């Protein structure tokens, strides 16, 4: 799995169907997440950092974004993006979300934002790629402050008239190593207050956001 995000990292932004299919999901997800100015936001499985400009727009120079990914190659692209844009308020952490000690995140939050918990946590098209998304959700919960916002954007098979695109969706998910049946947004649906669920691209993209207790 790691190999997939090593060789393909430099081409990910072009070949992942970002413009045609997936950008709409991250935009909707971050709009619904509504991170506020000055917030510390965690992006789990941040990849090449496609969420960074959208998140930084929200948190402003006084906020901070922590991106975590286990692929050094994907993070190298994210680091280039940070450097090119001169962003000073991004931390990129190379780690396997399933093995990580949450203290690594809380210490970055404390160092960069002056408090140990994050105000919002987000994951786009990544939970379904993790070998098991539930421990990743538990990590997210453990580093989020009470009342934090949480958002998950992920994929499922298209339905209704869009079901004709199911083979394409299957192919895209298989290429990215995603389990199209994972439905990780069930966690915020179950645990977050006022969870909002938006379905895009004929059922292929699900966006769930809410406020953690
Ligand atoms: C399909 S990409 C999504 C990247 C980004 N979130 C986006 O919206 O474009 C999935 C990412 O999850 C990362 N990933 C997979 N398993 C992981 C794990 N156990 N821990 C951390 N990152 C992981 C991969 O390296 C890859 O960058």
């Amino acid at each position: 799995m790691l190999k997939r995000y090593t060789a393909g990292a430099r081409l990910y932004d072009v070949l992942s169907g970002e413009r045609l299919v997936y950008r709409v999901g991250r935009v909707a997800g971050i709009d619904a997440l509504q991170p506020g100015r000055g917030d510390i936001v965690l992006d789990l499985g941040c990849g090449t950092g496609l969420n960074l400009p959208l998140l930084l727009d929200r948190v402003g120079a006084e906020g901070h974004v922590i991106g975590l990914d286990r692929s050094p190659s994907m993070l190298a692209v994210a680091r280039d993006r940070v450097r090119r844009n001169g962003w000073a308020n991004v931390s990129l952490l190379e780690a396997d979300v399933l093995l990580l000690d949450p203290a690594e995140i809380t210490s970055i939050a404390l160092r960069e934002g002056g408090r140990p918990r994050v105000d919002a946590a987000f994951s786009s098209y990544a939970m379904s790629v993790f070998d098991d998304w539930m421990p990743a959700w538990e990590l997210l919960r453990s580093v989020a402050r009470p009342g934090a916002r949480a958002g998950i954007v992920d994929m499922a098979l298209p339905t209704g008239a869009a079901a004709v695109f199911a083979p394409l969706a299957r192919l895209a998910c298989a290429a990215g190593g995603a389990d199209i049946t994972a439905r990780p947004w069930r966690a915020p649906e179950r645990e977050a207050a006022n969870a909002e669920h938006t379905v895009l691209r004929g059922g292929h993209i699900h966006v769930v956001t809410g406020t953690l207790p």
Side-chain angles (χ1 to χ4, degrees):
M1 186 74 65
L2 188 53
K3 274 193 197 144
R4 178 176 279 121
Y5 289 104
T6 300
R10 290 277 155 198
L11 297 174
Y12 175 84
D13 293 2
V14 180
L15 296 185
S16 62
E18 171 68 7
R19 278 180 170 220
L20 203 61
V21 183
Y22 296 108
R23 183 173 166 80
V24 70
R26 75 178 78 254
V27 169
I30 291 169
D31 274 353
L33 185 72
Q34 295 185 322
R37 283 210 109 54
D39 275 359
I40 306 173
V41 184
L42 172 66
D43 184 356
L44 281 182
C46 66
T48 61
L50 287 169
N51 292 328
L52 289 174
L54 301 167
L55 292 172
L56 289 167
D57 242 19
R58 298 286 181 141
V59 303
E62 59 273 51
H64 197 85
V65 178
I66 305 169
L68 178 157
D69 202 283
R70 77 170 173 185
S71 161
S73 309
M74 296 292 271
L75 284 177
V77 178
R79 284 203 181 92
D80 279 353
R81 196 185 301 281
V82 170
R83 198 176 315 116
R84 276 198 321 273
N85 287 283
W87 293 322
N89 51 344
V90 176
S91 299
L92 295 172
L93 176 62
E94 184 187 320
D96 186 324
V97 70
L98 304 180
L99 304 174
L100 182 70
D101 180 348
E104 287 208 42
I105 294 174
T106 54
S107 68
I108 295 174
L110 188 60
R111 188 183 69 226
E112 303 295 339
R115 52 199 186 279
R117 307 268 157 186
V118 305
D119 304 296
F122 188 67
S123 189
S124 56
Y125 312 118
M127 287 264 181
S128 61
V129 178
F130 300 160
D131 293 336
D132 185 1
W133 59 262
M134 193 40 120
W137 172 256
E138 279 158 11
L139 174 97
L140 180 159
R141 289 292 316 269
S142 72
V143 300
R145 69 165 167 78
R149 297 283 296 160
I152 292 188
V153 178
D154 226 308
M155 300 160 286
L157 279 175
T159 52
V164 289
F165 295 110
L168 268 180
R170 267 206 188 89
L171 196 66
C173 287
D179 173 4
I180 203 165
T181 66
R183 307 177 84 81
W185 54 83
R186 283 174 296 163
E189 270 186 337
R190 194 175 50 234
E191 293 177 39
N194 310 319
E196 282 176 33
H197 190 155
T198 304
V199 181
L200 301 164
R201 297 287 192 231
H204 181 43
I205 298 176
H206 290 247
V207 177
V208 175
T209 53
T211 302
L212 295 173

